[in-house]
């Protein structure tokens, strides 16, 4: 009796509940983003419903990054430049070649591009796309900054280990 949508996924509400009492659908089966880390987050939502927490709905989920494991990796979070403009933001955009990053040169992998979009009025990061070695790791730093509502300058002025790919954020956000 559990309802399935036209794409074959189990239908759920914002609480991940199905139409049948006491049955939830978690992970790939509910048609949400197809990432292992979303399944973990779905578990947290259901756990908090069952055991009394505050994180009880996908509507409380913050921004989530995605990564494609190609060579080099492609990672993204938030709005792209075109999307930000369409939504009416006044933006600043910065681009950086991985060739400018010491760690990329050490790894002999300078292919790709780093790009970020910042709201020019609030200095909040609206989005970031990283196409470079270790992008899948780097995007987590931007995700935390965005979800915390930090000014891009907090990322720009952070002290990152050297040589690391993450230290590229000092240079990328200095271009804003």
């Amino acid at each position: 009796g559990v309802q399935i949508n036209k794409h074959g996924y189990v239908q759920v509400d914002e609480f991940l509940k199905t139409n049948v009492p006491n049955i939830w659908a978690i992970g790939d089966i509910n048609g949400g983003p197809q990432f292992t880390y979303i399944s973990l987050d779905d578990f947290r939502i259901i756990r908090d419903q069952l055991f009394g927490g505050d994180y009880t709905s996908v509507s409380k989920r913050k921004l989530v990054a995605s990564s494609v494991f190609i060579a080099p990796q492609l990672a993204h979070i938030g709005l792209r430049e075109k999307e930000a403009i369409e939504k009416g933001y006044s933006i600043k955009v910065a681009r950086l070649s991985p060739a400018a990053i010491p760690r990329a040169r050490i790894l002999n992998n300078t292919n790709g591009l780093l790009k970020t979009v910042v709201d020019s009025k609030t200095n909040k990061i609206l989005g970031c796309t990283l196409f470079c070695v270790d992008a899948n790791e780097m995007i987590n730093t931007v995700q935390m900054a965005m979800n915390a509502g930090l000014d891009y300058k907090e990322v720009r002025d952070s002290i990152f280990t050297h040589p690391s790919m993450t230290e590229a954020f000092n240079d990328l956000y200095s271009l804003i």
Side-chain angles (χ1 to χ4, degrees):
V2 172
Q3 290 180 343
I4 307 295
N5 69 19
K6 66 181 180 178
H7 301 290
Y9 295 111
V10 173
Q11 276 189 238
V12 295
D13 62 14
E14 71 174 289
F15 305 100
L16 303 174
K17 293 180 179 182
T18 68
N19 62 302
V20 178
N22 300 315
I23 297 180
W24 291 260
I26 187 171
D28 296 353
I29 197 168
N30 69 24
Q34 305 288 294
F35 301 110
T36 302
Y37 45 91
I38 294 297
S39 298
L40 171 62
D41 198 59
D42 285 355
F43 160 75
R44 292 174 181 147
I45 290 167
I46 294 170
R47 178 201 59 205
D48 277 15
Q49 289 175 45
L50 294 173
F51 298 105
D54 294 330
Y55 190 62
T56 57
S57 166
V58 294
S59 66
K60 294 184 178 187
R61 186 175 281 158
K62 294 186 177 186
L63 291 167
V64 177
S66 63
S67 295
V68 180
F69 292 89
I70 55 178
Q73 294 86 22
L74 175 63
H76 176 78
I77 188 166
L79 299 175
R80 291 172 174 81
E81 181 177 4
K82 182 180 177 183
E83 295 167 332
I85 292 168
E86 287 171 355
K87 289 184 178 278
Y89 287 100
S90 173
I91 61 171
K92 298 184 251 184
V93 178
R95 294 169 186 83
L96 181 71
S97 168
I101 307 167
R103 182 69 181 161
R105 290 195 309 273
I106 290 167
L107 296 172
N108 198 29
N109 192 341
T110 57
N111 297 323
L113 179 70
L114 291 79
K115 183 176 178 179
T116 192
V117 179
V118 172
D119 184 326
S120 62
K121 293 178 182 169
T122 66
N123 283 342
K124 304 292 185 209
I125 301 168
L126 297 174
C128 185
T129 302
L130 305 173
F131 180 45
C132 61
V133 65
D134 292 339
N136 58 300
E137 292 287 342
M138 297 170 68
I139 200 69
N140 295 317
T141 300
V142 179
Q143 176 178 290
M144 286 181 46
M146 289 177 71
N147 283 332
L150 297 179
D151 186 299
Y152 81 89
K153 294 173 189 171
E154 293 291 329
V155 178
R156 180 195 68 192
D157 298 339
S158 291
I159 300 172
F160 297 103
T161 58
H162 172 80
S164 68
M165 288 299 293
T166 307
E167 73 179 322
F169 293 135
N170 296 138
D171 294 334
L172 177 65
Y173 287 103
S174 289
L175 298 172
I176 295 291

